[in-house]
Amino acid sequence: MSYFAIALVVLAIVLLFSVVKIVPQGREFTVERFGKYTRTLTPGISLLTPFVERVGRRMNMMEQVLDVPQQEVITKDNAMVKVDAIVFIQVMEAAAAAYRVENLPYAITQLCMTNLRTVVGSMDLDEVLFQRDNINSRLLTVIDAATEPWGVKVNRIEIKDLTPPADITNAMARQMKAERERRAVITEAEGEKQAAIARAEGAKQSAILQAEGRKEAAFRDAEAREREAEAEARATAMVSEAIARGDVNAINYFVAQKYVEAFAELARNPTQKTVIVPAEMSGLVGTIAGLGELVGLAKEQQQGRTDGRAAAASPARSTPPRPPRGSVPRT
């Protein structure tokens, strides 16, 4: 009886483990009845029909990363490059992934390698090196469409490494160096050009300002000479009127003016060591006295003209104006 009881306990335990199935999170199990797929077990606890149903495939439903091995690919312009990649996949339908393809990771890896050779081989080397995003998008579109019947979603595919031959790498390095040097020369030339333009603009503005200054100075000088000429003309006119009236002091005015100017110029000459003073200084004094009388006479004449205008304005006064003092009546 004891052996029979032990056998029953063992049978019950085996039956329990074959009937009760616990599916962990992120996994799905397929159920087969006499070898035929019937249903899929989702995460949680499930019961199977003993001796009739069994678990077929245990599928990982989480996102997986597959490494695409490195391979040599000939580009469109006959350059040999080494390319490898990584692909991110996720099983969306457990039954399709389990029963429509054998060895799903290997199948997707081989699919990525063949399509990688196709895409890279249709591009030039420069396009391969500088258009990785284009390669990734093209591979993603092709591989995702190919794996859709398998119940797999390709989320991303990335080119991990691109290695051109050594001679092409050296040529690219020299080309990059030449391009950098060309840009440096162009930048330096542009800087010198801008500096030359700035200096020319500065010289232009300086010349314009100097010309404006000379123009303004010439205008001021001309205006001063004009004012001086007008004053000289008025003085000459006054002296001429005095001479016409017979006043000898008016003639002495010009003589004294030239005399004083000549004497002052003689005294300012830096090469003149000796200044000769005229013996008859009384003549100069008399001339200056005559100038004083001429000035006084001019003032009296101005006063007489003012009184005459006032008398003409008031008819009640009939007294004739007094002749200027010192004037000699004509016969």
Side-chain angles (χ1 to χ4, degrees):
M1 292 297 293
S2 60
Y3 291 106
F4 182 72
I6 293 174
L8 289 177
V9 171
V10 172
L11 180 60
I13 293 174
V14 171
L15 184 62
L16 178 64
F17 277 97
S18 63
V19 172
V20 179
K21 297 297 179 180
I22 298 177
V23 180
Q25 186 67 38
R27 306 277 179 169
E28 288 186 3
F29 296 167
T30 62
V31 177
E32 298 176 356
R33 181 177 293 177
F34 299 113
K36 182 180 179 181
Y37 168 77
T38 57
R39 57 195 173 97
T40 301
L41 301 182
T42 58
I45 186 169
S46 301
L47 298 177
L48 301 180
T49 303
F51 305 108
V52 176
E53 295 179 339
R54 68 181 183 89
V55 175
R57 303 288 180 88
R58 291 174 169 82
M59 303 304 298
N60 185 359
M61 305 303 292
M62 295 181 291
E63 187 173 9
Q64 305 174 52
V65 181
L66 300 180
D67 190 8
V68 179
Q70 188 180 67
Q71 57 182 330
E72 293 183 350
V73 181
I74 300 176
T75 62
K76 186 178 180 180
D77 52 353
N78 297 323
M80 185 72 69
V81 293
K82 295 180 179 179
V83 187
D84 58 356
I86 53 175
V87 58
F88 298 82
I89 64 171
Q90 186 175 8
V91 176
M92 308 302 296
E93 298 179 9
Y99 299 108
R100 290 188 178 181
V101 62
E102 181 70 22
N103 196 349
L104 180 64
Y106 178 77
I108 294 178
T109 300
Q110 295 300 315
L111 185 63
C112 291
M113 293 177 63
T114 56
N115 283 277
L116 186 60
R117 284 195 297 268
T118 302
V119 173
V120 174
S122 64
M123 304 173 66
D124 294 333
L125 179 61
D126 292 337
E127 295 177 350
V128 172
L129 296 176
F130 298 105
Q131 296 185 11
R132 291 193 178 189
D133 292 338
N134 187 18
I135 298 175
N136 295 335
S137 61
R138 292 175 62 180
L139 286 175
L140 180 62
T141 302
V142 174
I143 297 175
D144 187 41
T147 57
E148 185 178 1
W150 300 344
V152 178
K153 174 67 177 176
V154 179
N155 295 326
R156 293 182 304 277
I157 183 167
E158 300 288 341
I159 299 297
K160 186 167 61 175
D161 191 15
L162 277 172
T163 306
D167 54 347
I168 295 179
T169 303
N170 295 332
M172 292 173 60
R174 292 194 302 270
Q175 181 182 3
M176 182 183 65
K177 181 179 179 181
E179 181 66 20
R180 297 292 182 183
E181 291 178 353
R182 184 183 68 85
R183 292 181 182 179
V185 171
I186 292 175
T187 303
E188 184 178 358
E190 287 292 335
E192 293 178 355
K193 176 183 176 182
Q194 294 297 329
I197 292 175
R199 288 193 296 268
E201 287 292 336
K204 176 183 175 182
Q205 294 296 330
S206 176
I208 291 174
L209 293 177
Q210 291 179 3
E212 290 290 338
R214 291 193 299 269
K215 177 182 176 182
E216 185 68 19
F219 177 77
R220 297 297 182 184
D221 292 340
E223 187 176 8
R225 290 193 299 270
E226 182 180 357
R227 297 291 185 271
E228 184 179 359
E230 290 178 357
E232 187 69 22
R234 286 195 296 270
T236 304
M238 293 177 61
V239 173
S240 299
E241 292 179 0
I243 292 173
R245 292 194 300 270
D247 193 348
V248 180
N249 292 327
I251 301 175
N252 293 333
Y253 170 77
F254 287 104
V255 176
Q257 183 181 12
K258 298 299 180 181
Y259 189 84
V260 172
E261 290 178 356
F263 190 74
E265 186 69 24
L266 182 64
R268 285 195 299 265
N269 190 359
T271 61
Q272 187 69 28
K273 301 300 183 180
T274 305
V275 178
I276 302 174
V277 180
E280 296 183 358
M281 294 298 295
S282 60
L284 178 60
V285 175
T287 302
I288 295 174
L291 291 176
E293 293 180 1
L294 180 60
V295 173
L297 178 60
K299 290 182 178 180
E300 291 180 1
Q301 290 178 355
Q302 182 67 25
Q303 184 65 33
R305 284 195 295 268
T306 303
D307 295 339
R309 285 194 297 269
S314 56
R317 298 179 59 184
S318 59
T319 305
R322 185 181 60 180
R325 185 176 56 186
S327 60
V328 181
R330 296 182 182 179
T331 57

